[in-house]
Amino acid sequence: MTTTPTVTTPTTTTGDGADTRQEPVIQNFGTVKGFPLGLTDEARTYGCERLNRILADTQILYGLYKKHHWIMRGPTFFQLHLLLDKHAQAQLEIVDALAERVQTLGGVAVGDPRHVAELTAVPRPPDGVEPVPAMLSRLLDAHRTILVESRESAAKAAALGDDGTNDLLVSQVVRTGELQAWFLAEHLVDTPLVGD
């Protein structure tokens, strides 16, 4: 359903570091502006809602990749340090593509990290350093969450005639996620070292 944006003024407090500016909100999160895209209101609203969830999870996955890239340990440090940074860059590109698709559909992309934390389905990791297999497993679990949501969303988007959202989810989110999950999973295979 197309909604007319409501202009609201955010309520803020002083003394705790909160933003005290009283600027109007020109489009609320969760609303969809009417753009002449040849898509139904239902398709655009569904697309924005699901893409924002996947966007939140993907931003968290990007953050996990960077965290684990920085705190990597062990004999495969160098290889994993480089691999995780490469994967993080690919996820950052997906974040941008997802956010731009939400905006293209007339929605408001989730961007504030505090809002992302409210929407994500990816569990928060410990603040400290976990063993390497736990780090990789955590990344694989995040990928699984995103892949399941993306496949379901792509199928429904296609059924609603939203080929752009379907294409983004299948060609970028799913294909990249599957490839990255494969690379990570192969690091968890129990292969004996030569000479053992």
Side-chain angles (χ1 to χ4, degrees):
M1 145 174 31
T2 303
T3 58
T4 305
T6 304
V7 177
T8 58
T9 304
T11 305
T12 59
T13 58
T14 58
D16 62 0
D19 186 354
T20 58
R21 290 175 291 168
Q22 297 294 310
E23 300 296 327
V25 173
I26 60 172
Q27 183 181 356
N28 289 316
F29 183 81
T31 63
V32 178
K33 292 193 310 186
F35 286 153
L37 303 177
L39 292 170
T40 65
D41 291 345
E42 177 188 8
R44 292 184 309 104
T45 300
Y46 176 83
C48 289
E49 178 184 305
R50 295 301 286 256
L51 288 168
N52 264 322
R53 281 195 261 165
I54 295 165
L55 175 56
D57 291 340
T58 304
Q59 289 180 70
I60 296 298
L61 177 59
Y62 166 76
L64 286 174
Y65 267 119
K66 290 306 288 189
K67 175 185 179 179
H68 296 331
H69 159 77
W70 296 321
I71 65 173
M72 185 51 58
R73 303 281 202 276
T76 59
F77 165 81
F78 184 71
Q79 295 87 346
L80 285 173
H81 180 75
L82 295 179
L83 177 68
L84 298 185
D85 199 37
K86 180 179 177 180
H87 283 199
Q89 282 307 117
Q91 290 301 319
L92 188 57
E93 290 175 17
I94 291 171
V95 163
D96 193 54
L98 289 166
E100 289 182 355
R101 183 65 187 166
V102 171
Q103 295 301 130
T104 299
L105 292 172
V108 176
V110 60
D112 186 290
R114 294 161 295 195
H115 193 186
V116 167
E118 293 171 5
L119 296 180
T120 188
V122 176
R124 181 178 174 166
D127 290 335
V129 178
E130 295 178 286
V132 172
M135 289 187 222
L136 299 181
S137 294
R138 190 171 296 285
L139 289 166
L140 282 169
D141 289 344
H143 273 295
R144 183 180 306 110
T145 297
I146 293 167
L147 288 168
V148 168
E149 178 83 14
S150 295
R151 287 189 189 103
E152 291 171 0
S153 299
K156 177 78 183 266
L160 292 171
D162 185 356
D163 297 326
T165 296
N166 172 276
D167 179 59
L168 169 63
L169 291 171
V170 173
S171 66
Q172 291 186 49
V173 178
V174 171
R175 288 191 181 141
T176 301
E178 288 175 343
L179 186 66
Q180 290 183 347
W182 170 49
F183 274 65
L184 295 173
E186 288 297 339
H187 278 277
L188 294 174
V189 173
D190 186 17
T191 306
L193 297 175
V194 176
D196 282 347

